Amino acid sequence: MGDILKRIEEAVYNGDEDGIVALTGEALNEGLSPQEIIDQGGVVALDRLGVDFDNLVVFLPELMIAGDCMKALIETVTPHMKGGEKIYKGKVVIGCAKGDLHDIGKNLVATQLSVNGFQVKDLGVDVSTSKFIDTAEAEQADIIAISSLLTTSQYYMEELVKRLDNEGKRGKFRIAVGGGPINPEYAKKIGVDGYARTAHSAISMAQRLMKIKPAEELIVEL
Ligand code: B12
């Protein structure tokens, strides 16, 4: 079992787009769960690449190809994800903060919420604060969820809170944040309602958010 996860890690790290789908299928056949394949295979490779990118061992093209591999892995495991009860739990508008094109984590959160009974409207990458607000209003969303992997983009989470406050709309939506540089301290500082560290913990965070009012307390799931 460990061996197949290691091979998946290497395939993502090396950008082996042809190999990754077959290896992921093999892992599913061996009985590994989508969660294990994502977290102990693909994500480990992306974390290694992040470190190697910092140390100038790999460069942007390698990150891009690995990102595509990870997407192929996620597409392969998604039909095998088991959801909880399918009752309507709330409507979520999700996207990557302005300037941010890292969508792998955001896609995982969107998929997990959707297979667990939330209605999810995915706005994609590089989403402006106005677009978050306009869509959330049009969709009558319960939760606005923002992902940021870039320290330069995380500011837009704060901007969203300020805009909603200034426009007298803060009471309409719960705001959830996540992504690499985000942590509970930052979430508390900018006054959002929810933080989750992983896509899996985002499910229970979002479920708990539905039980509180906006701006009531910070819900953290690690
Ligand atoms: C793959 C990758 C890319 C790919 C992205 C492909 C894609 N389609 O996403 C490409 C090549 C495009 C890319 C580009 C760049 N990247 Co890049 N990239 C990465 C890398 C290696 C992996 C990111 C990833 O997908 N991780 C795996 C996913 C599953 O994890 P995750 O996103 O953190 O998501 C999980 C949680 O955070 C959480 N979560 C995420 N979002 C949300 C939202 C909510 C609401 C909740 C509750 C939870 C949640 O759940 C997820 C699943 O568990 C990281 C390094 C790293 N280890 O993070 C660098 C990294 C993020 N990149 C970095 C940089 C600098 C860049 C570039 C600026 C490089 C450049 N010079 O051009 C550009 C910026 C492009 C842009 N404008 O966005 C830096 C960011 C530094 C910083 N602190 O700002 C990092 C950290 C690398 C590094 N060590 O320097 N990158």
Side-chain angles (χ1 to χ4, degrees), residues 46-47 50 53-54 60 63-64 71 99-105 108-109 146-147 149-151 177-179 196-199 205:
L46 292 179
D47 282 346
F53 179 75
D54 262 351
L60 209 50
L63 291 197
M64 289 170 81
K71 285 188 170 181
D100 200 331
L101 305 177
H102 295 89
D103 63 354
I104 298 171
L108 279 172
V109 175
I146 319 179
S147 172
L149 277 257
L150 294 176
T151 40
V177 295
R197 197 178 54 78
T198 69
M205 181 267 293

PDB file of all heavy atoms in Angstrom, residues 46-47 50 53-54 60 63-64 71 99-105 108-109 146-147 149-151 177-179 196-199 205, ligand 1:
ATOM      1  N   LEU A  46       3.226  17.753  -3.998  1.00  0.00           N
ATOM      2  CA  LEU A  46       3.118  19.208  -4.180  1.00  0.00           C
ATOM      3  C   LEU A  46       3.847  19.952  -3.063  1.00  0.00           C
ATOM      4  O   LEU A  46       4.471  20.991  -3.303  1.00  0.00           O
ATOM      5  CB  LEU A  46       1.650  19.629  -4.246  1.00  0.00           C
ATOM      6  CG  LEU A  46       0.885  19.157  -5.488  1.00  0.00           C
ATOM      7  CD1 LEU A  46      -0.566  19.611  -5.424  1.00  0.00           C
ATOM      8  CD2 LEU A  46       1.515  19.683  -6.771  1.00  0.00           C
ATOM      9  N   ASP A  47       3.794  19.399  -1.847  1.00  0.00           N
ATOM     10  CA  ASP A  47       4.523  20.040  -0.748  1.00  0.00           C
ATOM     11  C   ASP A  47       6.032  19.998  -1.010  1.00  0.00           C
ATOM     12  O   ASP A  47       6.743  20.974  -0.786  1.00  0.00           O
ATOM     13  CB  ASP A  47       4.196  19.357   0.588  1.00  0.00           C
ATOM     14  CG  ASP A  47       2.834  19.810   1.118  1.00  0.00           C
ATOM     15  OD1 ASP A  47       2.305  20.818   0.603  1.00  0.00           O
ATOM     16  OD2 ASP A  47       2.299  19.146   2.022  1.00  0.00           O
ATOM     17  N   GLY A  50       6.903  22.504  -3.539  1.00  0.00           N
ATOM     18  CA  GLY A  50       6.906  23.862  -2.975  1.00  0.00           C
ATOM     19  C   GLY A  50       8.249  24.174  -2.336  1.00  0.00           C
ATOM     20  O   GLY A  50       8.820  25.246  -2.542  1.00  0.00           O
ATOM     21  N   PHE A  53      10.896  24.383  -5.012  1.00  0.00           N
ATOM     22  CA  PHE A  53      10.723  25.626  -5.782  1.00  0.00           C
ATOM     23  C   PHE A  53      11.399  26.772  -5.025  1.00  0.00           C
ATOM     24  O   PHE A  53      12.126  27.579  -5.609  1.00  0.00           O
ATOM     25  CB  PHE A  53       9.225  25.893  -5.959  1.00  0.00           C
ATOM     26  CG  PHE A  53       8.894  27.154  -6.722  1.00  0.00           C
ATOM     27  CD1 PHE A  53       9.053  27.221  -8.104  1.00  0.00           C
ATOM     28  CD2 PHE A  53       8.401  28.275  -6.072  1.00  0.00           C
ATOM     29  CE1 PHE A  53       8.730  28.382  -8.812  1.00  0.00           C
ATOM     30  CE2 PHE A  53       8.067  29.428  -6.769  1.00  0.00           C
ATOM     31  CZ  PHE A  53       8.238  29.477  -8.145  1.00  0.00           C
ATOM     32  N   ASP A  54      11.184  26.795  -3.719  1.00  0.00           N
ATOM     33  CA  ASP A  54      11.827  27.815  -2.869  1.00  0.00           C
ATOM     34  C   ASP A  54      13.341  27.746  -2.970  1.00  0.00           C
ATOM     35  O   ASP A  54      14.025  28.759  -2.953  1.00  0.00           O
ATOM     36  CB  ASP A  54      11.461  27.547  -1.397  1.00  0.00           C
ATOM     37  CG  ASP A  54      10.312  28.416  -0.941  1.00  0.00           C
ATOM     38  OD1 ASP A  54       9.932  29.317  -1.696  1.00  0.00           O
ATOM     39  OD2 ASP A  54       9.803  28.170   0.175  1.00  0.00           O
ATOM     40  N   LEU A  60       8.904  27.090 -12.423  1.00  0.00           N
ATOM     41  CA  LEU A  60       7.478  27.189 -12.710  1.00  0.00           C
ATOM     42  C   LEU A  60       6.935  26.078 -13.622  1.00  0.00           C
ATOM     43  O   LEU A  60       5.869  25.521 -13.345  1.00  0.00           O
ATOM     44  CB  LEU A  60       7.182  28.577 -13.296  1.00  0.00           C
ATOM     45  CG  LEU A  60       5.789  29.122 -13.037  1.00  0.00           C
ATOM     46  CD1 LEU A  60       5.406  29.036 -11.572  1.00  0.00           C
ATOM     47  CD2 LEU A  60       5.720  30.562 -13.509  1.00  0.00           C
ATOM     48  N   LEU A  63       6.082  23.049 -11.677  1.00  0.00           N
ATOM     49  CA  LEU A  63       4.889  23.237 -10.831  1.00  0.00           C
ATOM     50  C   LEU A  63       3.626  23.114 -11.677  1.00  0.00           C
ATOM     51  O   LEU A  63       2.628  22.527 -11.258  1.00  0.00           O
ATOM     52  CB  LEU A  63       4.885  24.616 -10.170  1.00  0.00           C
ATOM     53  CG  LEU A  63       5.898  24.965  -9.094  1.00  0.00           C
ATOM     54  CD1 LEU A  63       5.440  26.192  -8.323  1.00  0.00           C
ATOM     55  CD2 LEU A  63       6.111  23.828  -8.136  1.00  0.00           C
ATOM     56  N   MET A  64       3.691  23.683 -12.883  1.00  0.00           N
ATOM     57  CA  MET A  64       2.492  23.664 -13.737  1.00  0.00           C
ATOM     58  C   MET A  64       2.128  22.233 -14.142  1.00  0.00           C
ATOM     59  O   MET A  64       0.968  21.829 -14.067  1.00  0.00           O
ATOM     60  CB  MET A  64       2.717  24.525 -14.990  1.00  0.00           C
ATOM     61  CG  MET A  64       2.737  25.992 -14.654  1.00  0.00           C
ATOM     62  SD  MET A  64       3.269  27.007 -16.024  1.00  0.00           S
ATOM     63  CE  MET A  64       1.780  27.104 -16.939  1.00  0.00           C
ATOM     64  N   LYS A  71      -4.573  17.477 -10.839  1.00  0.00           N
ATOM     65  CA  LYS A  71      -5.969  17.619 -11.272  1.00  0.00           C
ATOM     66  C   LYS A  71      -6.470  16.307 -11.877  1.00  0.00           C
ATOM     67  O   LYS A  71      -7.608  15.911 -11.658  1.00  0.00           O
ATOM     68  CB  LYS A  71      -6.097  18.753 -12.283  1.00  0.00           C
ATOM     69  CG  LYS A  71      -6.008  20.109 -11.621  1.00  0.00           C
ATOM     70  CD  LYS A  71      -6.334  21.228 -12.578  1.00  0.00           C
ATOM     71  CE  LYS A  71      -6.465  22.529 -11.806  1.00  0.00           C
ATOM     72  NZ  LYS A  71      -6.800  23.654 -12.662  1.00  0.00           N
ATOM     73  N   GLY A  99      -6.187  37.657  -7.944  1.00  0.00           N
ATOM     74  CA  GLY A  99      -4.758  37.500  -8.235  1.00  0.00           C
ATOM     75  C   GLY A  99      -4.252  36.086  -8.067  1.00  0.00           C
ATOM     76  O   GLY A  99      -3.135  35.774  -8.457  1.00  0.00           O
ATOM     77  N   ASP A 100      -5.063  35.224  -7.475  1.00  0.00           N
ATOM     78  CA  ASP A 100      -4.588  33.872  -7.177  1.00  0.00           C
ATOM     79  C   ASP A 100      -5.120  32.840  -8.173  1.00  0.00           C
ATOM     80  O   ASP A 100      -6.331  32.726  -8.370  1.00  0.00           O
ATOM     81  CB  ASP A 100      -5.025  33.481  -5.752  1.00  0.00           C
ATOM     82  CG  ASP A 100      -4.183  32.341  -5.206  1.00  0.00           C
ATOM     83  OD1 ASP A 100      -3.704  31.518  -6.004  1.00  0.00           O
ATOM     84  OD2 ASP A 100      -4.000  32.278  -3.971  1.00  0.00           O
ATOM     85  N   LEU A 101      -4.184  32.097  -8.771  1.00  0.00           N
ATOM     86  CA  LEU A 101      -4.576  31.092  -9.774  1.00  0.00           C
ATOM     87  C   LEU A 101      -4.453  29.665  -9.234  1.00  0.00           C
ATOM     88  O   LEU A 101      -4.647  28.700  -9.967  1.00  0.00           O
ATOM     89  CB  LEU A 101      -3.679  31.238 -11.022  1.00  0.00           C
ATOM     90  CG  LEU A 101      -3.646  32.621 -11.673  1.00  0.00           C
ATOM     91  CD1 LEU A 101      -2.676  32.641 -12.850  1.00  0.00           C
ATOM     92  CD2 LEU A 101      -5.040  33.039 -12.139  1.00  0.00           C
ATOM     93  N   HIS A 102      -4.068  29.517  -7.976  1.00  0.00           N
ATOM     94  CA  HIS A 102      -3.912  28.174  -7.387  1.00  0.00           C
ATOM     95  C   HIS A 102      -5.296  27.613  -7.079  1.00  0.00           C
ATOM     96  O   HIS A 102      -5.919  28.026  -6.105  1.00  0.00           O
ATOM     97  CB  HIS A 102      -3.120  28.239  -6.081  1.00  0.00           C
ATOM     98  CG  HIS A 102      -1.707  28.683  -6.257  1.00  0.00           C
ATOM     99  ND1 HIS A 102      -1.333  30.003  -6.221  1.00  0.00           N
ATOM    100  CD2 HIS A 102      -0.570  27.978  -6.485  1.00  0.00           C
ATOM    101  CE1 HIS A 102      -0.030  30.086  -6.410  1.00  0.00           C
ATOM    102  NE2 HIS A 102       0.464  28.874  -6.573  1.00  0.00           N
ATOM    103  N   ASP A 103      -5.764  26.672  -7.878  1.00  0.00           N
ATOM    104  CA  ASP A 103      -7.144  26.222  -7.662  1.00  0.00           C
ATOM    105  C   ASP A 103      -7.280  24.764  -7.226  1.00  0.00           C
ATOM    106  O   ASP A 103      -8.394  24.263  -7.084  1.00  0.00           O
ATOM    107  CB  ASP A 103      -8.002  26.489  -8.909  1.00  0.00           C
ATOM    108  CG  ASP A 103      -7.544  25.709 -10.135  1.00  0.00           C
ATOM    109  OD1 ASP A 103      -6.501  25.040 -10.064  1.00  0.00           O
ATOM    110  OD2 ASP A 103      -8.255  25.776 -11.155  1.00  0.00           O
ATOM    111  N   ILE A 104      -6.155  24.069  -7.014  1.00  0.00           N
ATOM    112  CA  ILE A 104      -6.271  22.649  -6.674  1.00  0.00           C
ATOM    113  C   ILE A 104      -6.959  22.466  -5.318  1.00  0.00           C
ATOM    114  O   ILE A 104      -7.909  21.685  -5.183  1.00  0.00           O
ATOM    115  CB  ILE A 104      -4.877  21.978  -6.696  1.00  0.00           C
ATOM    116  CG1 ILE A 104      -4.297  22.060  -8.117  1.00  0.00           C
ATOM    117  CG2 ILE A 104      -4.957  20.532  -6.224  1.00  0.00           C
ATOM    118  CD1 ILE A 104      -2.848  21.638  -8.238  1.00  0.00           C
ATOM    119  N   GLY A 105      -6.482  23.208  -4.314  1.00  0.00           N
ATOM    120  CA  GLY A 105      -7.076  23.106  -2.980  1.00  0.00           C
ATOM    121  C   GLY A 105      -8.519  23.577  -2.976  1.00  0.00           C
ATOM    122  O   GLY A 105      -9.403  22.932  -2.408  1.00  0.00           O
ATOM    123  N   LEU A 108     -10.723  21.011  -4.357  1.00  0.00           N
ATOM    124  CA  LEU A 108     -10.960  19.909  -3.407  1.00  0.00           C
ATOM    125  C   LEU A 108     -12.020  20.293  -2.384  1.00  0.00           C
ATOM    126  O   LEU A 108     -12.901  19.488  -2.043  1.00  0.00           O
ATOM    127  CB  LEU A 108      -9.660  19.562  -2.670  1.00  0.00           C
ATOM    128  CG  LEU A 108      -8.684  18.656  -3.413  1.00  0.00           C
ATOM    129  CD1 LEU A 108      -7.378  18.571  -2.641  1.00  0.00           C
ATOM    130  CD2 LEU A 108      -9.285  17.265  -3.585  1.00  0.00           C
ATOM    131  N   VAL A 109     -11.937  21.524  -1.897  1.00  0.00           N
ATOM    132  CA  VAL A 109     -12.934  21.984  -0.918  1.00  0.00           C
ATOM    133  C   VAL A 109     -14.321  21.984  -1.572  1.00  0.00           C
ATOM    134  O   VAL A 109     -15.291  21.485  -1.002  1.00  0.00           O
ATOM    135  CB  VAL A 109     -12.580  23.396  -0.380  1.00  0.00           C
ATOM    136  CG1 VAL A 109     -13.679  23.925   0.533  1.00  0.00           C
ATOM    137  CG2 VAL A 109     -11.252  23.373   0.367  1.00  0.00           C
ATOM    138  N   ILE A 146     -13.439  31.613   0.553  1.00  0.00           N
ATOM    139  CA  ILE A 146     -12.324  32.118  -0.260  1.00  0.00           C
ATOM    140  C   ILE A 146     -11.051  31.352   0.038  1.00  0.00           C
ATOM    141  O   ILE A 146     -10.706  31.113   1.190  1.00  0.00           O
ATOM    142  CB  ILE A 146     -11.999  33.593   0.041  1.00  0.00           C
ATOM    143  CG1 ILE A 146     -13.257  34.405   0.222  1.00  0.00           C
ATOM    144  CG2 ILE A 146     -11.145  34.191  -1.059  1.00  0.00           C
ATOM    145  CD1 ILE A 146     -12.955  35.841   0.532  1.00  0.00           C
ATOM    146  N   SER A 147     -10.350  31.039  -1.052  1.00  0.00           N
ATOM    147  CA  SER A 147      -9.071  30.352  -0.935  1.00  0.00           C
ATOM    148  C   SER A 147      -7.956  31.279  -1.364  1.00  0.00           C
ATOM    149  O   SER A 147      -8.085  31.988  -2.359  1.00  0.00           O
ATOM    150  CB  SER A 147      -9.101  29.127  -1.856  1.00  0.00           C
ATOM    151  OG  SER A 147      -7.832  28.528  -1.927  1.00  0.00           O
ATOM    152  N   LEU A 149      -3.556  31.082  -1.711  1.00  0.00           N
ATOM    153  CA  LEU A 149      -2.252  30.437  -1.484  1.00  0.00           C
ATOM    154  C   LEU A 149      -1.140  31.473  -1.527  1.00  0.00           C
ATOM    155  O   LEU A 149       0.008  31.186  -1.237  1.00  0.00           O
ATOM    156  CB  LEU A 149      -1.980  29.397  -2.587  1.00  0.00           C
ATOM    157  CG  LEU A 149      -2.557  27.993  -2.505  1.00  0.00           C
ATOM    158  CD1 LEU A 149      -1.513  26.999  -2.090  1.00  0.00           C
ATOM    159  CD2 LEU A 149      -3.737  27.895  -1.611  1.00  0.00           C
ATOM    160  N   LEU A 150      -1.497  32.678  -1.929  1.00  0.00           N
ATOM    161  CA  LEU A 150      -0.486  33.725  -2.070  1.00  0.00           C
ATOM    162  C   LEU A 150      -0.663  34.776  -0.983  1.00  0.00           C
ATOM    163  O   LEU A 150      -1.782  35.265  -0.765  1.00  0.00           O
ATOM    164  CB  LEU A 150      -0.629  34.417  -3.428  1.00  0.00           C
ATOM    165  CG  LEU A 150      -0.346  33.582  -4.675  1.00  0.00           C
ATOM    166  CD1 LEU A 150      -0.628  34.405  -5.920  1.00  0.00           C
ATOM    167  CD2 LEU A 150       1.101  33.101  -4.688  1.00  0.00           C
ATOM    168  N   THR A 151       0.422  35.130  -0.337  1.00  0.00           N
ATOM    169  CA  THR A 151       0.334  36.181   0.681  1.00  0.00           C
ATOM    170  C   THR A 151      -0.129  37.501   0.041  1.00  0.00           C
ATOM    171  O   THR A 151      -0.764  38.316   0.698  1.00  0.00           O
ATOM    172  CB  THR A 151       1.706  36.382   1.366  1.00  0.00           C
ATOM    173  OG1 THR A 151       2.714  36.300   0.367  1.00  0.00           O
ATOM    174  CG2 THR A 151       1.978  35.327   2.396  1.00  0.00           C
ATOM    175  N   VAL A 177     -12.554  30.976   5.224  1.00  0.00           N
ATOM    176  CA  VAL A 177     -11.281  31.164   4.528  1.00  0.00           C
ATOM    177  C   VAL A 177     -10.372  29.953   4.710  1.00  0.00           C
ATOM    178  O   VAL A 177     -10.522  29.179   5.654  1.00  0.00           O
ATOM    179  CB  VAL A 177     -10.534  32.430   5.045  1.00  0.00           C
ATOM    180  CG1 VAL A 177     -11.311  33.692   4.716  1.00  0.00           C
ATOM    181  CG2 VAL A 177     -10.265  32.346   6.538  1.00  0.00           C
ATOM    182  N   GLY A 178      -9.418  29.820   3.776  1.00  0.00           N
ATOM    183  CA  GLY A 178      -8.441  28.737   3.879  1.00  0.00           C
ATOM    184  C   GLY A 178      -7.385  28.883   2.803  1.00  0.00           C
ATOM    185  O   GLY A 178      -7.481  29.740   1.933  1.00  0.00           O
ATOM    186  N   GLY A 179      -6.369  28.021   2.882  1.00  0.00           N
ATOM    187  CA  GLY A 179      -5.264  28.078   1.928  1.00  0.00           C
ATOM    188  C   GLY A 179      -3.940  28.204   2.659  1.00  0.00           C
ATOM    189  O   GLY A 179      -3.920  28.563   3.836  1.00  0.00           O
ATOM    190  N   ALA A 196     -10.781  26.416   7.967  1.00  0.00           N
ATOM    191  CA  ALA A 196     -10.473  24.978   8.017  1.00  0.00           C
ATOM    192  C   ALA A 196      -9.140  24.766   7.328  1.00  0.00           C
ATOM    193  O   ALA A 196      -8.832  25.416   6.338  1.00  0.00           O
ATOM    194  CB  ALA A 196     -11.563  24.163   7.338  1.00  0.00           C
ATOM    195  N   ARG A 197      -8.368  23.836   7.870  1.00  0.00           N
ATOM    196  CA  ARG A 197      -7.019  23.609   7.338  1.00  0.00           C
ATOM    197  C   ARG A 197      -7.038  22.723   6.105  1.00  0.00           C
ATOM    198  O   ARG A 197      -6.199  22.869   5.224  1.00  0.00           O
ATOM    199  CB  ARG A 197      -6.122  22.987   8.432  1.00  0.00           C
ATOM    200  CG  ARG A 197      -4.631  23.075   8.133  1.00  0.00           C
ATOM    201  CD  ARG A 197      -3.815  22.496   9.271  1.00  0.00           C
ATOM    202  NE  ARG A 197      -4.201  21.131   9.620  1.00  0.00           N
ATOM    203  CZ  ARG A 197      -3.853  20.054   8.937  1.00  0.00           C
ATOM    204  NH1 ARG A 197      -3.100  20.148   7.875  1.00  0.00           N
ATOM    205  NH2 ARG A 197      -4.273  18.848   9.323  1.00  0.00           N
ATOM    206  N   THR A 198      -7.987  21.799   6.050  1.00  0.00           N
ATOM    207  CA  THR A 198      -8.014  20.871   4.914  1.00  0.00           C
ATOM    208  C   THR A 198      -9.416  20.855   4.286  1.00  0.00           C
ATOM    209  O   THR A 198     -10.387  21.309   4.899  1.00  0.00           O
ATOM    210  CB  THR A 198      -7.689  19.429   5.354  1.00  0.00           C
ATOM    211  OG1 THR A 198      -8.785  18.944   6.140  1.00  0.00           O
ATOM    212  CG2 THR A 198      -6.410  19.357   6.161  1.00  0.00           C
ATOM    213  N   ALA A 199      -9.472  20.247   3.083  1.00  0.00           N
ATOM    214  CA  ALA A 199     -10.768  20.138   2.415  1.00  0.00           C
ATOM    215  C   ALA A 199     -11.700  19.254   3.246  1.00  0.00           C
ATOM    216  O   ALA A 199     -12.906  19.490   3.309  1.00  0.00           O
ATOM    217  CB  ALA A 199     -10.574  19.546   1.024  1.00  0.00           C
ATOM    218  N   MET A 205     -16.516  22.205   9.316  1.00  0.00           N
ATOM    219  CA  MET A 205     -16.530  23.662   9.558  1.00  0.00           C
ATOM    220  C   MET A 205     -17.788  24.267   8.934  1.00  0.00           C
ATOM    221  O   MET A 205     -18.501  25.039   9.578  1.00  0.00           O
ATOM    222  CB  MET A 205     -15.257  24.275   8.964  1.00  0.00           C
ATOM    223  CG  MET A 205     -15.107  25.768   9.150  1.00  0.00           C
ATOM    224  SD  MET A 205     -15.753  26.686   7.762  1.00  0.00           S
ATOM    225  CE  MET A 205     -14.627  26.253   6.478  1.00  0.00           C
TER     226      MET A 205
HETATM  227  C1  B12 B   1       1.054  23.798  -7.872  1.00  0.00           C
HETATM  228  C2  B12 B   1       1.541  25.194  -7.529  1.00  0.00           C
HETATM  229  C3  B12 B   1       1.432  26.191  -8.517  1.00  0.00           C
HETATM  230  C4  B12 B   1       0.690  25.969  -9.830  1.00  0.00           C
HETATM  231  C5  B12 B   1      -0.820  26.035  -9.515  1.00  0.00           C
HETATM  232  C6  B12 B   1      -1.638  25.109 -10.399  1.00  0.00           C
HETATM  233  C7  B12 B   1      -3.090  25.135 -10.011  1.00  0.00           C
HETATM  234  N1  B12 B   1      -3.917  24.975 -11.003  1.00  0.00           N
HETATM  235  O1  B12 B   1      -3.468  25.295  -8.848  1.00  0.00           O
HETATM  236  C8  B12 B   1       1.204  27.169 -10.693  1.00  0.00           C
HETATM  237  C9  B12 B   1       2.377  26.693 -11.536  1.00  0.00           C
HETATM  238  C10 B12 B   1       0.184  27.823 -11.599  1.00  0.00           C
HETATM  239  C11 B12 B   1       1.747  28.111  -9.621  1.00  0.00           C
HETATM  240  C12 B12 B   1       2.015  29.434  -9.876  1.00  0.00           C
HETATM  241  C13 B12 B   1       2.586  30.314  -8.944  1.00  0.00           C
HETATM  242  N2  B12 B   1       2.988  29.986  -7.701  1.00  0.00           N
HETATM  243 CO1  B12 B   1       2.627  28.289  -6.862  1.00  0.00          CO
HETATM  244  N3  B12 B   1       2.593  26.650  -5.922  1.00  0.00           N
HETATM  245  C14 B12 B   1       2.119  25.479  -6.242  1.00  0.00           C
HETATM  246  C15 B12 B   1       2.382  24.492  -5.072  1.00  0.00           C
HETATM  247  C16 B12 B   1       3.626  23.654  -5.416  1.00  0.00           C
HETATM  248  C17 B12 B   1       1.254  23.534  -4.700  1.00  0.00           C
HETATM  249  C18 B12 B   1      -0.097  24.202  -4.363  1.00  0.00           C
HETATM  250  C19 B12 B   1      -1.135  23.116  -4.184  1.00  0.00           C
HETATM  251  O2  B12 B   1      -1.917  22.855  -5.089  1.00  0.00           O
HETATM  252  N4  B12 B   1      -1.103  22.417  -3.026  1.00  0.00           N
HETATM  253  C20 B12 B   1      -1.980  21.265  -2.766  1.00  0.00           C
HETATM  254  C21 B12 B   1      -3.369  21.721  -2.310  1.00  0.00           C
HETATM  255  C22 B12 B   1      -4.267  20.492  -2.111  1.00  0.00           C
HETATM  256  O3  B12 B   1      -3.191  22.376  -1.074  1.00  0.00           O
HETATM  257  P1  B12 B   1      -3.833  23.799  -0.721  1.00  0.00           P
HETATM  258  O4  B12 B   1      -4.031  24.598  -1.961  1.00  0.00           O
HETATM  259  O5  B12 B   1      -3.080  24.394   0.403  1.00  0.00           O
HETATM  260  O6  B12 B   1      -5.301  23.459  -0.238  1.00  0.00           O
HETATM  261  C23 B12 B   1      -5.619  22.740   0.933  1.00  0.00           C
HETATM  262  C24 B12 B   1      -5.821  23.618   2.176  1.00  0.00           C
HETATM  263  O7  B12 B   1      -5.033  24.790   2.156  1.00  0.00           O
HETATM  264  C25 B12 B   1      -7.305  23.870   2.221  1.00  0.00           C
HETATM  265  N5  B12 B   1      -7.876  25.014   1.505  1.00  0.00           N
HETATM  266  C26 B12 B   1      -7.481  25.603   0.351  1.00  0.00           C
HETATM  267  N6  B12 B   1      -8.311  26.579   0.004  1.00  0.00           N
HETATM  268  C27 B12 B   1      -9.288  26.632   0.932  1.00  0.00           C
HETATM  269  C28 B12 B   1     -10.409  27.466   1.033  1.00  0.00           C
HETATM  270  C29 B12 B   1     -11.262  27.309   2.122  1.00  0.00           C
HETATM  271  C30 B12 B   1     -12.436  28.190   2.247  1.00  0.00           C
HETATM  272  C31 B12 B   1     -10.968  26.317   3.096  1.00  0.00           C
HETATM  273  C32 B12 B   1     -11.865  26.176   4.253  1.00  0.00           C
HETATM  274  C33 B12 B   1      -9.865  25.479   2.986  1.00  0.00           C
HETATM  275  C34 B12 B   1      -9.023  25.643   1.901  1.00  0.00           C
HETATM  276  O8  B12 B   1      -7.858  22.693   1.680  1.00  0.00           O
HETATM  277  C35 B12 B   1      -7.011  22.176   0.652  1.00  0.00           C
HETATM  278  C36 B12 B   1      -7.080  20.683   0.622  1.00  0.00           C
HETATM  279  O9  B12 B   1      -6.824  20.077   1.847  1.00  0.00           O
HETATM  280  C37 B12 B   1       2.634  25.502  -3.881  1.00  0.00           C
HETATM  281  C38 B12 B   1       3.489  24.975  -2.732  1.00  0.00           C
HETATM  282  C39 B12 B   1       2.622  24.391  -1.620  1.00  0.00           C
HETATM  283  N7  B12 B   1       3.116  23.379  -0.982  1.00  0.00           N
HETATM  284  O10 B12 B   1       1.520  24.859  -1.357  1.00  0.00           O
HETATM  285  C40 B12 B   1       3.249  26.695  -4.625  1.00  0.00           C
HETATM  286  C41 B12 B   1       3.110  28.099  -4.021  1.00  0.00           C
HETATM  287  C42 B12 B   1       1.729  28.313  -3.425  1.00  0.00           C
HETATM  288  N8  B12 B   1       3.285  28.957  -5.196  1.00  0.00           N
HETATM  289  C43 B12 B   1       3.969  30.029  -4.949  1.00  0.00           C
HETATM  290  C44 B12 B   1       4.305  31.033  -5.899  1.00  0.00           C
HETATM  291  C45 B12 B   1       5.261  32.101  -5.435  1.00  0.00           C
HETATM  292  C46 B12 B   1       3.764  31.010  -7.194  1.00  0.00           C
HETATM  293  C47 B12 B   1       3.976  32.060  -8.293  1.00  0.00           C
HETATM  294  C48 B12 B   1       3.955  33.534  -7.800  1.00  0.00           C
HETATM  295  C49 B12 B   1       5.321  31.717  -8.978  1.00  0.00           C
HETATM  296  C50 B12 B   1       5.785  32.720 -10.017  1.00  0.00           C
HETATM  297  N9  B12 B   1       6.952  33.231  -9.786  1.00  0.00           N
HETATM  298  O11 B12 B   1       5.100  32.999 -10.972  1.00  0.00           O
HETATM  299  C51 B12 B   1       2.820  31.749  -9.262  1.00  0.00           C
HETATM  300  C52 B12 B   1       1.558  32.582  -8.921  1.00  0.00           C
HETATM  301  C53 B12 B   1       0.430  32.353  -9.876  1.00  0.00           C
HETATM  302  C54 B12 B   1      -0.837  33.054  -9.372  1.00  0.00           C
HETATM  303  N10 B12 B   1      -1.065  34.287  -9.787  1.00  0.00           N
HETATM  304  O12 B12 B   1      -1.564  32.464  -8.587  1.00  0.00           O
HETATM  305  C55 B12 B   1       4.391  30.106  -3.484  1.00  0.00           C
HETATM  306  C56 B12 B   1       3.529  31.106  -2.705  1.00  0.00           C
HETATM  307  C57 B12 B   1       4.348  31.931  -1.738  1.00  0.00           C
HETATM  308  C58 B12 B   1       3.470  32.868  -0.966  1.00  0.00           C
HETATM  309  N11 B12 B   1       3.421  32.642   0.325  1.00  0.00           N
HETATM  310  O13 B12 B   1       2.858  33.771  -1.465  1.00  0.00           O
HETATM  311  C59 B12 B   1       4.269  28.594  -3.051  1.00  0.00           C
HETATM  312  C60 B12 B   1       3.947  28.414  -1.546  1.00  0.00           C
HETATM  313  C61 B12 B   1       5.610  27.909  -3.420  1.00  0.00           C
HETATM  314  C62 B12 B   1       6.757  28.376  -2.577  1.00  0.00           C
HETATM  315  N12 B12 B   1       7.152  27.592  -1.597  1.00  0.00           N
HETATM  316  O14 B12 B   1       7.311  29.422  -2.794  1.00  0.00           O
HETATM  317  N13 B12 B   1       1.927  27.474  -8.439  1.00  0.00           N
END
